[in-house]
Amino acid sequence: MSTLEVTATGAAADAVTTHVPTLVQDRVASRIFAKDHTLWGPAAEEESAKRLNWTGLPRTSRHLIGEVAALREELSQAGYDRVVLCGMGGSSLAPEVICATAGVPIDVLDSSDPDVVRAALTDLDRTVVVVSSKSGSTVETDSQRRAFEQAFRDAGLDPSARMVIVTDPGSPLDNDARAAGFRVVNADPQVGGRYSALTAFGLVPSALAGADVETLLDDAEAVSDLLAADDDANPALRLAAAMAGTQPLRDKLVLVDDGTENVGFGAWAEQLIAESTGKDGTGILPVVAIGSAPASLYDDGTVVRLVATDSESDSVGEQDTSDAGGSASSAASLVTVAGPLGAQIMLWETATAVAGRLLGISPFDQPDVESAKAAARELLDAGIGAGVEPAFTDGSVEVTALGGDWLGDATTVDAAVDTLLGLLDDQQGYIAVMAYLDRLGDADLELVARDLFDRTGRPATFGWGPRFLHSTGQYHKGGPATGVYLQVTTAPTQDLEVPGREFTFGEFIAAQAGGDAAVLAEHGRPVLRLHLTAHDEGLEQVRAALSRGRA
Ligand SMILES: O=P(O)(O)OC[C@H]1O[C@](O)(CO)[C@@H](O)[C@@H]1O
């Protein structure tokens, strides 16, 4: 029996019936694993040709197991028992899920908030820092690296003894780190960031934190032939059809943790799916359900129940029915997925690549992420205070509207939120809450996503800034124009210099929010920015405004 199970019912089962035979006939699965870069059309060939090595990672990453085990032993002998990972998107989300699932501690720093960065610069004498960046040019990660190097030096500690660099061979970071005597582990350059879970980006920080990465690779290798098979039973073909083949397209994919042992899996899948498919005006929006969402939560989406590997769900083919009433849940379109983490990483990567073919887009580029980075750089160069003037201040919240003259005569936070939600398309709309706050300290703000659904009946996503910029951020800007966007930013308790740079962390994160909002506005997408002039008081005002009853 396969250690992977994918069962579809309702509209998802219809999509399986409609599309899988053609995918089998076109030999899509075997061609992906043969690294056929022509599968996504001529425009995608250049990028695809250098982004398909993820298919062989269960074997080609084996050498890392011994290398990192030796490094872990050396570092623990030296007394380092805390691992901090500096990285964004694909360079941090996979280790976060791998370590959470393994139950080993790792501090993931994927923020440019000065208070969050400062809080990470502690316990330096027992800390090893992994700095992961494929390109070596991601400003968040470079700034975090600079801050740690400075902090180690200020504490009289040798940075090169307690920092491990993971990057592509020949990246600016690779050259600089080697020249400065740092340990560097190179990753396979023929793998894109969001597909890099089984490269050094996923394996090095996780193994240093104590996760069993050999089993992860074993579980991935155990299903590789199944996923490469041109066969109706191939779970990746079925999942791809269910994700991207419904008619009409159900473009909200509600990820519900329904007992899976893979802790926090939704955050990793969210980046893989949103950044891979959200472009050219189409795409699939993962909606990570907060709490135990009822499967019928969204009628116009497809619900994915992530269940435990040993659960009783039937295997593929035995329960794929088109009768929505025949499913275990009332969702009109439902997929149930089970399997260990290593197997699911390969499953979802393969399914997302196939989904790109079904949607007619390249699953390997992220054109709109770059536009937000460029806009942020422009704001940094223009100096703080550049950008759109606030409309008004209500208590401890400064209110700014972008993307059109839609604010009307609102003079309070409540009225501004009501007006934004009033713009929602009641058939296809979604609300994106983007909080440039401390994702640990302000964690319960995520619950407003449920309140917004209950209030509007529409899907609401919640992303922590700047982390989401490397995930759903691509979809927000490149996907369909059906979103309304709510930014929450805050004044830092205390700003923090970025050593060697002409901007501070506080200026940088403000420019990131401003840049993203500017690009959304350029695409005609309405953005409401709620800036907390005083964190605690402002946050209570925002939480109250978002959690109010139906407008
Ligand atoms: O590893 P890097 O090059 O720092 O990039 C980090 C992340 O930024 C992106 O390139 C764009 O969001 C992701 O694809 C990637 O995972």
Side-chain angles (χ1 to χ4, degrees), residues 3 50 101 147 174 210 262 318 322 438 459 485 489 550:
T3 53
K50 58 188 180 182
T101 300
D174 185 40
N262 305 319
E318 291 172 16
S322 298
D438 177 354
Y485 304 88
T489 57
R550 189 175 293 275

PDB file of all heavy atoms in Angstrom, residues 3 50 101 147 174 210 262 318 322 438 459 485 489 550:
ATOM      1  N   THR A   3       2.304   4.894   0.794  1.00  0.00           N
ATOM      2  CA  THR A   3       2.274   5.694   2.015  1.00  0.00           C
ATOM      3  C   THR A   3       1.643   7.049   1.716  1.00  0.00           C
ATOM      4  O   THR A   3       1.702   7.949   2.526  1.00  0.00           O
ATOM      5  CB  THR A   3       3.713   5.923   2.507  1.00  0.00           C
ATOM      6  OG1 THR A   3       4.457   6.467   1.415  1.00  0.00           O
ATOM      7  CG2 THR A   3       4.345   4.639   2.975  1.00  0.00           C
ATOM      8  N   LYS A  50      15.981  25.190 -15.750  1.00  0.00           N
ATOM      9  CA  LYS A  50      16.917  25.228 -14.608  1.00  0.00           C
ATOM     10  C   LYS A  50      16.202  25.043 -13.283  1.00  0.00           C
ATOM     11  O   LYS A  50      16.701  25.426 -12.215  1.00  0.00           O
ATOM     12  CB  LYS A  50      17.704  26.543 -14.621  1.00  0.00           C
ATOM     13  CG  LYS A  50      16.856  27.802 -14.569  1.00  0.00           C
ATOM     14  CD  LYS A  50      17.680  29.068 -14.772  1.00  0.00           C
ATOM     15  CE  LYS A  50      16.784  30.312 -14.712  1.00  0.00           C
ATOM     16  NZ  LYS A  50      17.522  31.561 -14.944  1.00  0.00           N
ATOM     17  N   THR A 101       7.426  19.238  12.798  1.00  0.00           N
ATOM     18  CA  THR A 101       6.946  17.855  12.684  1.00  0.00           C
ATOM     19  C   THR A 101       7.833  16.896  13.464  1.00  0.00           C
ATOM     20  O   THR A 101       7.361  15.948  14.098  1.00  0.00           O
ATOM     21  CB  THR A 101       6.882  17.452  11.199  1.00  0.00           C
ATOM     22  OG1 THR A 101       5.978  18.348  10.523  1.00  0.00           O
ATOM     23  CG2 THR A 101       6.404  16.015  11.017  1.00  0.00           C
ATOM     24  N   ALA A 147      23.262  41.911  11.087  1.00  0.00           N
ATOM     25  CA  ALA A 147      22.947  42.188  12.491  1.00  0.00           C
ATOM     26  C   ALA A 147      23.576  41.135  13.402  1.00  0.00           C
ATOM     27  O   ALA A 147      24.133  41.460  14.466  1.00  0.00           O
ATOM     28  CB  ALA A 147      21.435  42.238  12.686  1.00  0.00           C
ATOM     29  N   ASP A 174      27.909  33.448  -1.470  1.00  0.00           N
ATOM     30  CA  ASP A 174      28.868  32.333  -1.498  1.00  0.00           C
ATOM     31  C   ASP A 174      30.290  32.893  -1.549  1.00  0.00           C
ATOM     32  O   ASP A 174      31.166  32.539  -0.744  1.00  0.00           O
ATOM     33  CB  ASP A 174      28.585  31.469  -2.731  1.00  0.00           C
ATOM     34  CG  ASP A 174      29.445  30.210  -2.802  1.00  0.00           C
ATOM     35  OD1 ASP A 174      29.665  29.578  -1.742  1.00  0.00           O
ATOM     36  OD2 ASP A 174      29.929  29.882  -3.895  1.00  0.00           O
ATOM     37  N   GLY A 210      18.353  18.934  14.864  1.00  0.00           N
ATOM     38  CA  GLY A 210      18.122  17.601  15.420  1.00  0.00           C
ATOM     39  C   GLY A 210      17.076  16.779  14.701  1.00  0.00           C
ATOM     40  O   GLY A 210      16.716  15.689  15.144  1.00  0.00           O
ATOM     41  N   ASN A 262       1.931  16.235  10.127  1.00  0.00           N
ATOM     42  CA  ASN A 262       2.870  17.209   9.553  1.00  0.00           C
ATOM     43  C   ASN A 262       2.498  18.605  10.054  1.00  0.00           C
ATOM     44  O   ASN A 262       1.646  19.274   9.489  1.00  0.00           O
ATOM     45  CB  ASN A 262       2.840  17.125   8.027  1.00  0.00           C
ATOM     46  CG  ASN A 262       3.123  15.688   7.551  1.00  0.00           C
ATOM     47  OD1 ASN A 262       3.997  15.017   8.099  1.00  0.00           O
ATOM     48  ND2 ASN A 262       2.342  15.208   6.599  1.00  0.00           N
ATOM     49  N   GLU A 318     -10.816   4.206  -4.780  1.00  0.00           N
ATOM     50  CA  GLU A 318     -11.903   3.413  -4.181  1.00  0.00           C
ATOM     51  C   GLU A 318     -13.084   4.281  -3.798  1.00  0.00           C
ATOM     52  O   GLU A 318     -14.181   3.817  -3.625  1.00  0.00           O
ATOM     53  CB  GLU A 318     -11.380   2.690  -2.927  1.00  0.00           C
ATOM     54  CG  GLU A 318     -10.372   1.597  -3.284  1.00  0.00           C
ATOM     55  CD  GLU A 318      -9.726   1.039  -2.020  1.00  0.00           C
ATOM     56  OE1 GLU A 318     -10.254   1.260  -0.912  1.00  0.00           O
ATOM     57  OE2 GLU A 318      -8.674   0.411  -2.153  1.00  0.00           O
ATOM     58  N   SER A 322     -18.447  11.275  -7.876  1.00  0.00           N
ATOM     59  CA  SER A 322     -18.853  12.624  -8.299  1.00  0.00           C
ATOM     60  C   SER A 322     -20.035  13.096  -7.484  1.00  0.00           C
ATOM     61  O   SER A 322     -20.475  14.211  -7.610  1.00  0.00           O
ATOM     62  CB  SER A 322     -19.231  12.583  -9.786  1.00  0.00           C
ATOM     63  OG  SER A 322     -18.083  12.214 -10.502  1.00  0.00           O
ATOM     64  N   ASP A 438       4.835  41.222  14.910  1.00  0.00           N
ATOM     65  CA  ASP A 438       5.566  40.087  15.502  1.00  0.00           C
ATOM     66  C   ASP A 438       4.670  38.849  15.461  1.00  0.00           C
ATOM     67  O   ASP A 438       3.686  38.761  16.205  1.00  0.00           O
ATOM     68  CB  ASP A 438       5.928  40.461  16.955  1.00  0.00           C
ATOM     69  CG  ASP A 438       6.623  39.313  17.686  1.00  0.00           C
ATOM     70  OD1 ASP A 438       6.726  38.203  17.106  1.00  0.00           O
ATOM     71  OD2 ASP A 438       7.059  39.533  18.826  1.00  0.00           O
ATOM     72  N   PRO A 459     -13.652  34.009   1.710  1.00  0.00           N
ATOM     73  CA  PRO A 459     -12.364  33.562   2.260  1.00  0.00           C
ATOM     74  C   PRO A 459     -11.486  34.737   2.672  1.00  0.00           C
ATOM     75  O   PRO A 459     -11.429  35.753   1.987  1.00  0.00           O
ATOM     76  CB  PRO A 459     -11.713  32.825   1.076  1.00  0.00           C
ATOM     77  CG  PRO A 459     -12.832  32.463   0.176  1.00  0.00           C
ATOM     78  CD  PRO A 459     -13.860  33.527   0.346  1.00  0.00           C
ATOM     79  N   TYR A 485      -7.368  44.261   0.198  1.00  0.00           N
ATOM     80  CA  TYR A 485      -6.107  44.065   0.906  1.00  0.00           C
ATOM     81  C   TYR A 485      -6.031  44.958   2.130  1.00  0.00           C
ATOM     82  O   TYR A 485      -6.245  46.161   2.034  1.00  0.00           O
ATOM     83  CB  TYR A 485      -4.939  44.310  -0.042  1.00  0.00           C
ATOM     84  CG  TYR A 485      -5.031  43.430  -1.267  1.00  0.00           C
ATOM     85  CD1 TYR A 485      -5.751  43.842  -2.386  1.00  0.00           C
ATOM     86  CD2 TYR A 485      -4.494  42.140  -1.276  1.00  0.00           C
ATOM     87  CE1 TYR A 485      -5.903  43.015  -3.482  1.00  0.00           C
ATOM     88  CE2 TYR A 485      -4.639  41.304  -2.367  1.00  0.00           C
ATOM     89  CZ  TYR A 485      -5.349  41.747  -3.464  1.00  0.00           C
ATOM     90  OH  TYR A 485      -5.509  40.915  -4.538  1.00  0.00           O
ATOM     91  N   THR A 489       0.459  47.828   9.941  1.00  0.00           N
ATOM     92  CA  THR A 489       1.869  48.108  10.213  1.00  0.00           C
ATOM     93  C   THR A 489       1.969  48.769  11.584  1.00  0.00           C
ATOM     94  O   THR A 489       0.953  49.174  12.159  1.00  0.00           O
ATOM     95  CB  THR A 489       2.449  49.072   9.146  1.00  0.00           C
ATOM     96  OG1 THR A 489       1.653  50.267   9.144  1.00  0.00           O
ATOM     97  CG2 THR A 489       2.418  48.428   7.760  1.00  0.00           C
ATOM     98  N   ARG A 550     -21.480  41.234  11.321  1.00  0.00           N
ATOM     99  CA  ARG A 550     -21.712  41.446   9.896  1.00  0.00           C
ATOM    100  C   ARG A 550     -22.029  42.912   9.653  1.00  0.00           C
ATOM    101  O   ARG A 550     -22.772  43.534  10.391  1.00  0.00           O
ATOM    102  CB  ARG A 550     -22.883  40.569   9.434  1.00  0.00           C
ATOM    103  CG  ARG A 550     -23.082  40.533   7.947  1.00  0.00           C
ATOM    104  CD  ARG A 550     -24.190  39.547   7.587  1.00  0.00           C
ATOM    105  NE  ARG A 550     -23.786  38.157   7.886  1.00  0.00           N
ATOM    106  CZ  ARG A 550     -23.078  37.425   7.027  1.00  0.00           C
ATOM    107  NH1 ARG A 550     -22.666  37.971   5.900  1.00  0.00           N
ATOM    108  NH2 ARG A 550     -22.756  36.191   7.318  1.00  0.00           N
TER     109      ARG A 550
END
